[in-house]
Amino acid sequence: MEGMLDENPFGRWLRRRRRQMDLTQQQLADRAACSLISIRKFEAGERRPSRELALLLATCLEIPASEQESFVALARGLPTELDAAASAPTLTSSPTPIPLPTPATPFVGRSTELTQIATLLADPACRLLTLVGFGGMGKTRLALAAATAQKDNFRDGVVFVSLATATEPSHLAPAIAQSLGLTLTGTADPAIQITRYLHNKQMLLLLDNFEPVSHGAERLSHWLHQVPHSKWLVTTRERLQLVEEWLLPVQGFAELASGVTLFVQSARRVQPHFSLTGQETTVAHICQALGGMPLAIELAASWVAILTCEQILLQLEQPLDFLESYWRNTPERQRSLRHILNQTWHLLSAPEQNILQKLSVFQGGFAWTEAAVVAQANLPLLSALINKSLVTTDGRGRYNFHPLIRLYAGEYLAASGPETTIRRLHLETFTHLAETAEPHLYGPDAIVWFKRLAGEQGNFQAALTYAIEQADGASALRLSNALWWFWFRRGQWREAEQWLTTTLELVESGDNPARGRALLYLSTCIALGGRYDAAAPLLIEALTLARRLEEGELLASALMVLGQALPDGAQALATFAEAQAVWEQVKEKDEKPWVLAHLHYLVGDRLRENGRYTEAEGRYRQSLALYRQMGNVDSITYPLGNLGRLALQQERLDEAAALLGESLTLARISGNRQGIADWLVPFGLVTLSLGDTASALSYLQEALVLHDEMENQRGRAETLIYLALAELVQGNHGRARQSIRDSLAFYRAGWQRSPAIPLAPSHPHIVPDLVDALFVAALVEVAHGVFKQALTLLLVAGRLQQQIGHQPFSFLQQRIEEAFVAAQQHLASSEYEAARHTGSGESLHELLSTVLM
């Protein structure tokens, strides 16, 4: 310890400066990380600080960099040419940071990302948050919006540091100093001067466009340790690779509505009277085609001054050259999407370029296992592409990239030569995947494999497209047949029909079992769409081919489809019996037990439709036992759900609700859209029977949407029957009439394909849902006071009910009986007899025509 000093210029200056800054001795001690006693002795002239502590005090007291050496000399009592008064640093005003820039256009969307950023910045452990994403994703706008919201959370404010004009790491510190309002002079390291200034600051620094100085990222790590109270928010195309870094990937708009809003906002800047009305779907398709990329959406919208939205959408078939603007005050790097892509491409190493262009053959994402085979991608290269925001990952082994990046990399692949080889390898790889998956779709791992195939639908489409482009019918046939059960279960019948139709056009006719399978699958798709006349010849051809080739498995499958198509119950059951006999002769039958399980519930369906409930239940239980033995939780929904239908039919409502609820849950888990739609309808009827009309309407409306999406006309017509019933119960008589008319229009169309014939006991075309449709139509007529028409419908439906042995479920049956009473009460005897006469002589075609008038 030094003795008492005779003169104390430093102590007097220190006390004055401290008081001007409104600091107590304790507060200054805290800032300088020293003891209160030390500050007291410095001011009293009893002790001098070390050089390191003097520099720290200079930072705490905001001494300009140009005066800090004089300050240290004064504090240390070193010789100086200046006198004591002059040696005291001049008291200057504190540096003034540059305020956050104000964007020229309103900020759109990103509510989820803003919440995530706020949550992360509130976490004490997160001091360096990197918003990483490909160019044009709107990282800067997002960061500015987030930083603006943080102004009140940082005592010393929020500072924006633009690095757009930086070209090397040495530009980082000067850019930060400029934004902080610091004047860097003298020989001291700028980074050290920034450290001194920020040492006790509680500030958020937004470093925008960090990639030009990315090699200087270690400096951020130093500041994180030396500046403990501030946080850093960074935007960049490439992650910083620092241990302290927290990452938030920024991709295209997650919400389609945000993209549409940005399009409209941008369009109105070039065409003030632009209106979205009538163009909602087209604009939505534009935003989807651009992957929700904000810059691309803005560039596309800039063309509305000279092009319609439909024309813009067409131009997006080649978006890389179309998406360009000439706004004078737009940075060059943002004027052209191709310019952004070119910049990024040329920063990649040759191996990275090679892998990225090969990966462009994937559509809708990929797993590493397939990427390794098709593109020879290893994990380090994939990681490098992820770090540069060109490839994204969901963290569960799935990778993807933006569609515009895929398109750009695909151009290089097409120009480099190996495109044919890579696409052929892609086709073979996904054909192998589909064929490997096919048997598992019937087993205990069905749900896992359905989800696996669902994730690769884009790749299957790309593979089939390539096979068809090459006129490779054999490869297209293999892949289409392997995907059939997946398409069927997910209700993608229209898609399956399109691929199978195109594939069969490439395959020569002849004795080819694979072609027979495709014919059978195609006939099923067409029939599910309600076009039975077009489906029948394909089914007959498949059946004939199977018999000629003595292909037992194909023949049994064709007979099972035929049994479902035959309108006559006895003929259908005989056909199913033949299918079972054929299957018993198939050598591989023990390896494929699901065929027999499937057959049992198809027989059960026909028995149930004909009122043979006890026999139907027996078949369903046989099917259920086989599926449980196999552990197939996907297909088990069918016998389980049909047992629920029987329970509903027999007024065991609690049991029906449990069985159908379980079936619906299993179908949702496996993504089986057909099953979901199938079980929503009877589950809705159970709910209706239990008195919850609102829930019943919700279930039936969901089923209707699914049937419309799958283009399942028969399923749609059946759903509309019971939707009309639920609407009647709720008092929506007008909606009920429209629903039942739409339903009956489907059944009427079936009769228009053949001559109208009078109803007769042997008429083969009557199905249970048609009977229920006529009954519900009668209820609608009663609700509208048209009692004569209602009675005719009730009498005809009653005759048909007896003819096929069908019994409506109890809730409907009770209302049928009430409708009979109401009609009889409101009709004179002559009117009643006229209705009875009409009902006994009118053809079904004529009756349906009358109802639909």
Side-chain angles (χ1 to χ4, degrees):
M1 178 183 294
E2 299 182 21
M4 178 71 70
L5 298 177
D6 295 329
E7 295 183 0
N8 186 25
F10 174 68
R12 290 194 300 273
W13 186 93
L14 179 62
R15 186 185 306 110
R16 185 169 66 252
R17 178 59 169 165
R18 174 177 61 77
R19 290 174 176 173
Q20 286 177 336
M21 294 182 69
D22 196 24
L23 294 174
T24 66
Q25 288 180 328
Q26 183 64 62
Q27 288 171 329
L28 180 57
D30 291 342
R31 285 194 175 193
C34 66
S35 68
L36 173 61
I37 293 175
S38 294
I39 296 298
R40 287 175 176 172
K41 291 191 174 185
F42 295 157
E43 292 187 357
E46 297 176 1
R47 179 183 293 176
R48 294 189 184 279
S50 66
R51 176 176 175 79
E52 291 74 16
L53 183 52
L55 284 171
L56 191 55
L57 284 169
T59 300
C60 296
L61 297 170
E62 300 180 357
I63 306 302
S66 60
E67 301 177 12
Q68 287 188 4
E69 288 302 321
S70 295
F71 175 84
V72 171
L74 179 65
R76 297 288 295 147
L78 300 176
T80 173
E81 297 178 357
L82 302 176
D83 57 30
S87 297
T90 304
L91 296 180
T92 58
S93 60
S94 300
T96 303
I98 298 174
L100 291 176
T102 301
T105 58
F107 182 69
V108 173
R110 302 290 197 187
S111 58
T112 299
E113 291 92 333
L114 287 172
T115 300
Q116 290 174 323
I117 294 171
T119 301
L120 289 170
L121 289 177
D123 186 340
C126 177
R127 297 191 50 233
L128 171 60
L129 176 59
T130 303
L131 307 186
V132 60
F134 182 69
M137 288 299 180
K139 300 183 294 296
T140 299
R141 292 301 306 276
L142 173 60
L144 280 171
T148 300
Q150 292 290 321
K151 283 183 176 180
D152 295 334
N153 298 331
F154 289 85
R155 183 189 64 215
D156 298 303
V158 180
V159 176
F160 177 81
V161 182
S162 175
L163 299 169
T165 59
T167 57
E168 58 183 63
S170 63
H171 295 164
L172 175 60
I176 294 175
Q178 180 180 4
S179 294
L180 290 172
L182 293 176
T183 301
L184 298 179
T185 60
T187 59
D189 183 348
I192 295 177
Q193 296 181 62
I194 291 172
T195 303
R196 292 171 182 166
Y197 173 76
L198 292 176
H199 179 72
N200 284 300
K201 291 288 191 294
Q202 187 190 40
M203 184 176 285
L204 175 65
L205 292 96
L206 195 174
L207 307 184
D208 187 47
N209 288 304
F210 196 83
E211 52 271 9
V213 298
S214 59
H215 293 300
E218 294 86 351
R219 175 54 61 186
L220 283 183
S221 181
H222 169 78
W223 280 321
L224 283 167
H225 292 284
Q226 298 298 318
V227 183
H229 305 300
S230 291
K231 296 195 177 192
W232 306 77
L233 180 61
V234 177
T235 72
T236 179
R237 298 185 188 183
E238 181 176 354
R239 63 172 298 179
L240 307 183
Q241 300 284 29
L242 295 176
V243 173
E244 302 90 344
E245 180 180 31
W246 292 52
L247 286 174
L248 182 66
V250 179
Q251 301 176 22
F253 287 120
E255 308 86 7
L256 179 59
S258 296
V260 172
T261 300
L262 180 61
F263 184 95
V264 173
Q265 175 184 295
S266 304
R268 285 176 178 165
R269 292 203 298 271
V270 296
Q271 189 185 88
H273 301 297
F274 176 82
S275 173
L276 183 64
T277 303
Q279 304 188 92
E280 295 89 347
T281 300
T282 304
V283 172
H285 287 163
I286 290 172
C287 296
Q288 289 170 331
L290 297 174
M293 178 190 285
L295 177 61
I297 292 172
E298 288 183 313
L299 293 174
S302 69
W303 287 96
V304 299
I306 56 176
L307 296 176
T308 66
C309 289
E310 289 79 6
Q311 290 170 329
I312 291 173
L313 183 59
L314 289 174
Q315 290 294 324
L316 292 185
E317 294 177 1
Q318 298 294 330
L320 299 183
D321 294 315
F322 173 67
L323 295 175
E324 185 172 356
S325 74
Y326 300 96
W327 293 313
R328 293 178 184 271
N329 60 344
T330 299
E332 181 63 30
R333 59 189 174 86
Q334 293 182 338
R335 289 191 179 184
S336 164
L337 187 60
R338 184 174 288 280
H339 181 74
I340 291 175
L341 291 160
N342 286 341
Q343 280 185 320
T344 302
W345 180 262
H346 293 304
L347 291 175
L348 299 178
S349 66
E352 290 168 347
Q353 291 177 347
N354 181 50
I355 294 300
L356 186 62
Q357 62 182 329
K358 289 180 179 179
L359 290 175
S360 68
V361 299
F362 290 98
Q363 184 168 303
F366 54 90
W368 175 61
T369 47
E370 282 72 42
V373 174
V374 176
Q376 296 77 53
N378 56 40
L379 289 178
L381 281 171
L382 272 178
S383 179
L385 293 173
I386 290 171
N387 290 339
K388 295 178 179 179
S389 303
L390 294 170
V391 172
T392 60
T393 177
D394 61 4
R396 298 187 296 273
R398 188 78 186 165
Y399 303 89
N400 207 341
F401 35 48
H402 194 277
L404 298 177
I405 296 175
R406 176 180 180 270
L407 183 62
Y408 181 85
E411 291 182 351
Y412 275 92
L413 181 65
S416 63
E419 180 183 21
T420 299
T421 302
I422 298 300
R423 292 187 70 186
R424 170 61 60 179
L425 190 55
H426 179 271
L427 168 62
E428 293 170 355
T429 299
F430 282 93
T431 300
H432 175 72
L433 174 62
E435 291 179 336
T436 300
E438 186 181 15
H440 291 286
L441 298 179
Y442 303 93
D445 298 326
I447 290 178
V448 173
W449 281 95
F450 271 112
K451 289 183 178 179
R452 176 79 172 90
L453 296 186
E456 301 295 358
Q457 290 194 83
N459 285 310
F460 291 131
Q461 292 167 356
L464 282 167
T465 297
Y466 175 73
I468 290 168
E469 287 174 354
Q470 300 299 307
D472 185 355
S475 294
L477 193 63
R478 281 181 59 196
L479 183 51
S480 297
N481 283 346
L483 289 172
W484 157 250
W485 192 245
F486 168 77
W487 282 331
F488 177 73
R489 273 291 191 253
R490 291 183 65 86
Q492 295 173 214
W493 305 326
R494 185 61 177 167
E495 179 181 354
E497 178 187 341
Q498 292 170 344
W499 288 119
L500 288 165
T501 299
T502 306
T503 295
L504 283 168
E505 291 172 353
L506 298 175
V507 179
E508 294 182 5
S509 59
D511 293 345
N512 181 349
R515 179 173 173 272
R517 285 179 65 192
L519 288 167
L520 180 62
Y521 299 155
L522 180 57
S523 71
T524 304
C525 291
I526 294 174
L528 287 167
R531 290 168 288 130
Y532 304 116
D533 287 351
L538 297 169
L539 174 59
I540 297 301
E541 186 177 357
L543 191 62
T544 302
L545 182 61
R547 291 190 188 281
R548 185 167 62 248
L549 296 177
E550 297 182 351
E551 283 284 336
E553 184 175 344
L554 176 60
L555 179 57
S557 298
L559 287 169
M560 288 163 66
V561 174
L562 179 62
Q564 295 174 77
L566 287 171
D568 182 76
Q571 292 178 0
L573 291 172
T575 303
F576 286 140
E578 182 185 357
Q580 184 167 347
V582 170
W583 183 247
E584 293 295 338
Q585 304 302 314
V586 174
K587 294 180 181 179
E588 296 82 9
K589 67 179 186 302
D590 294 334
E591 299 175 11
K592 300 178 179 180
W594 59 81
V595 176
L596 189 57
H598 185 63
L599 179 59
H600 278 312
Y601 83 67
L602 290 180
V603 174
D605 283 348
R606 185 49 65 98
L607 291 169
R608 176 178 54 81
E609 289 173 357
N610 290 342
R612 297 162 64 177
Y613 300 140
T614 301
E615 296 172 80
E617 182 175 352
R619 287 287 190 156
Y620 288 146
R621 294 200 179 279
Q622 284 181 280
S623 176
L624 184 60
L626 283 172
Y627 279 129
R628 281 182 170 156
Q629 183 180 335
M630 290 182 280
N632 188 329
V633 292
D634 173 64
S635 295
I636 201 174
T637 61
Y638 287 89
L640 196 66
N642 279 315
L643 286 170
R645 289 182 195 267
L646 284 178
L648 169 63
Q649 206 85 38
Q650 297 168 349
E651 294 189 67
R652 293 178 279 123
L653 297 182
D654 290 340
E655 181 184 350
L659 290 166
L660 288 164
E662 184 179 357
S663 296
L664 184 56
T665 298
L666 291 172
R668 290 193 191 278
I669 290 172
S670 64
N672 181 351
R673 293 202 305 161
Q674 178 195 352
I676 295 170
D678 282 343
W679 307 125
L680 277 169
V681 175
F683 191 68
L685 297 183
V686 171
T687 307
L688 183 66
S689 301
L690 290 170
D692 188 353
T693 307
S695 294
L697 279 168
S698 176
Y699 294 135
L700 292 166
Q701 286 163 350
E702 183 184 353
L704 187 64
V705 169
L706 284 170
H707 285 310
D708 283 342
E709 290 176 353
M710 295 184 290
E711 299 186 36
N712 182 354
Q713 298 302 317
R714 171 72 182 276
R716 182 179 191 276
E718 182 180 3
T719 303
L720 283 168
I721 298 168
Y722 306 113
L723 188 59
L725 176 61
E727 285 164 340
L728 270 182
V729 174
Q730 199 173 53
N732 297 325
H733 297 168
R735 291 182 187 174
R737 169 165 277 177
Q738 187 59 54
S739 292
I740 198 62
R741 284 184 171 182
D742 288 347
S743 175
L744 289 173
F746 167 81
Y747 296 102
R748 180 192 179 194
W751 267 263
Q752 287 178 326
R753 289 191 288 268
S754 59
I757 55 177
L759 297 174
S762 60
H763 192 284
H765 292 282
I766 306 305
V767 289
D769 40 289
L770 172 58
V771 176
D772 281 358
L774 295 173
F775 276 131
V776 172
L779 301 184
V780 170
E781 295 302 296
V782 167
H784 284 86
V786 188
F787 295 102
K788 184 176 180 180
Q789 176 79 324
L791 184 59
T792 299
L793 287 164
L794 287 169
L795 292 170
V796 171
R799 187 174 297 111
L800 296 178
Q801 171 192 355
Q802 293 177 356
Q803 176 183 313
I804 64 173
H806 170 62
Q807 180 63 39
F809 68 105
S810 59
F811 183 88
L812 175 58
Q813 182 62 43
Q814 180 181 345
R815 277 145 188 79
I816 292 169
E817 293 168 1
E818 293 170 355
F820 263 114
V821 172
Q824 289 173 337
Q825 289 176 344
H826 287 82
L827 290 175
S829 57
S830 58
E831 292 177 310
Y832 181 82
E833 289 303 319
R836 285 175 57 86
H837 176 75
T838 301
S840 62
E842 193 170 28
S843 73
L844 188 55
H845 176 74
E846 291 171 340
L847 177 62
L848 292 174
S849 298
T850 302
V851 175
L852 294 171
M853 287 179 60

